[in-house]
Amino acid sequence: MSTPPRSRFSLYLDLIRWNRPAGWLVLIWPTLSALWLAAGGFPGWHLLAVFVLGTILMRSAGCCINDVADRHFDRHVKRTAQRPITSGQVSVPEALVVGAVLALVALALVLTTNWVAVAWSVPALLVTVLYPFTKRFFAMPQAVLGVAFNFGIVIAFAAVQGSAPAMAWLLWLGNLFWVLAYDTEYAMVDRDDDLLIGMKTSAITLGRLDVAAIVLFYLLFLGFWAVALAPLALGAIFYVAIAVALAQVAWHWWLIRTRTREGCFRAFRVNHWLGFTVFVGIALGLVRW
């Protein structure tokens, strides 16, 4: 008995990884942290809606671009062989239209803020488009992904304050290390396949230093954020959150220490809890009891 054809809507949901929210959750927490910090507390429903919806939309658009760029590689990787574009269920032009529409809606949301935020959204889009192609020639493409993902921090400050102060850039740099940590865990899942097809990833570049480097990346992320936010005197609750985040780093080490696909993939999928923990510490630290 043949399987009935799937609806276009169902295929589009697969294309944007709707059933895998881990990808946008790791984006949303540092962005919301920046939004709270820029506003000195709750930023208002308008900005909250703009950045939550905008983050989801841009991550979804990025999935479309990534799958178009990687369609010839994905067919050789077990985990990605059945993606809609690779399997031929969605055409390349169709996927590009879906991605463009999502990006335009995200831009329309940013247009409701100010021109500084809009200006920063342009390089954010350009780096998002560039990222998938860096996997052909750059030894650490995860760093490029980090640059793309981190623009949410800068845009959040710009939307609230009309500029990106030094604190925003310190947070941006610290968050780059978090992206390196969790995306290297993700790359470890496909390392054997990527070696065969000639894809470049941080997991391949780091080799046997991968686990130690990931732990270091996590520590640098939390260290940069703690230093950047020290002048705000967020209180004990923030440092409790940092301690809980450090405990999660130890958990990640435990999951990836043997480099199994299952352990590395689980570590990647639960990363959003680390970002959530830091956000809660910041949000509660900004409340003046």
Side-chain angles (χ1 to χ4, degrees):
M1 187 174 181
S2 61
T3 304
R6 298 173 59 191
S7 69
R8 306 315 294 168
F9 183 68
S10 173
L11 289 170
Y12 294 159
L13 289 179
D14 270 3
L15 178 65
I16 65 173
R17 320 272 204 280
W18 182 254
N19 63 334
R20 296 181 182 177
W24 62 261
L25 284 170
V26 292
L27 278 168
I28 200 68
W29 297 123
T31 301
L32 291 186
S33 294
L35 197 59
W36 252 253
L37 288 164
F42 180 63
W45 292 109
H46 167 239
L47 287 178
L48 181 61
V50 165
F51 280 91
V52 169
L53 293 175
T55 297
I56 295 172
L57 288 166
M58 280 307 301
R59 184 261 183 170
S60 299
C63 289
C64 298
I65 297 166
N66 183 80
D67 286 7
V68 168
D70 286 352
R71 63 192 184 280
H72 299 305
F73 292 99
D74 283 349
R75 68 183 61 175
H76 302 291
V77 179
K78 183 178 180 181
R79 186 178 56 82
T80 60
Q82 294 306 309
R83 284 179 174 173
I85 300 174
T86 308
S87 61
Q89 299 175 86
V90 173
S91 69
V92 169
E94 192 176 6
L96 291 175
V97 168
V98 172
V101 169
L102 293 171
L104 286 172
V105 175
L107 175 61
L109 288 170
V110 179
L111 286 172
T112 67
T113 58
N114 59 47
W115 71 268
V116 182
V118 174
W120 278 117
S121 69
V122 174
L125 177 60
L126 293 177
V127 178
T128 299
V129 172
L130 173 67
Y131 159 68
F133 301 97
T134 62
K135 289 180 277 188
R136 277 81 166 160
F137 61 87
F138 188 48
M140 297 280 281
Q142 281 68 26
V144 181
L145 181 68
V147 172
F149 278 10
N150 289 355
F151 270 109
I153 294 171
V154 177
I155 296 171
F157 270 91
V160 175
Q161 299 184 1
S163 65
M167 177 185 291
W169 292 107
L170 272 175
L171 297 175
W172 182 96
L173 181 58
N175 210 67
L176 179 61
F177 289 110
W178 186 33
V179 178
L180 282 170
Y182 66 67
D183 209 53
T184 300
E185 289 175 340
Y186 192 55
M188 289 169 72
V189 178
D190 297 328
R191 175 158 41 194
D192 293 341
D193 294 321
D194 289 338
L195 281 167
L196 290 174
I197 61 180
M199 190 76 79
K200 296 185 182 299
T201 71
S202 56
I204 293 172
T205 299
L206 292 168
R208 301 305 293 180
L209 296 175
D210 51 1
V211 174
I214 287 169
V215 173
L216 177 61
F217 292 152
Y218 278 125
L219 295 178
L220 286 169
F221 158 55
L222 294 173
F224 267 99
W225 277 54
V227 169
L229 302 184
L232 298 182
L234 295 176
I237 191 67
F238 173 68
Y239 293 102
V240 169
I242 293 295
V244 173
L246 286 170
Q248 292 180 57
V249 172
W251 180 35
H252 279 261
W253 170 81
W254 181 261
L255 289 173
I256 68 175
R257 74 194 191 288
T258 56
R259 301 179 175 86
T260 63
R261 286 180 183 244
E262 296 77 15
C264 293
F265 193 49
R266 186 183 180 196
F268 166 75
R269 291 182 65 184
V270 299
N271 251 284
H272 59 90
W273 289 111
L274 197 153
F276 172 74
T277 300
V278 175
F279 167 72
V280 169
I282 290 170
L284 292 179
L286 287 169
V287 175
R288 300 309 173 200
W289 304 94

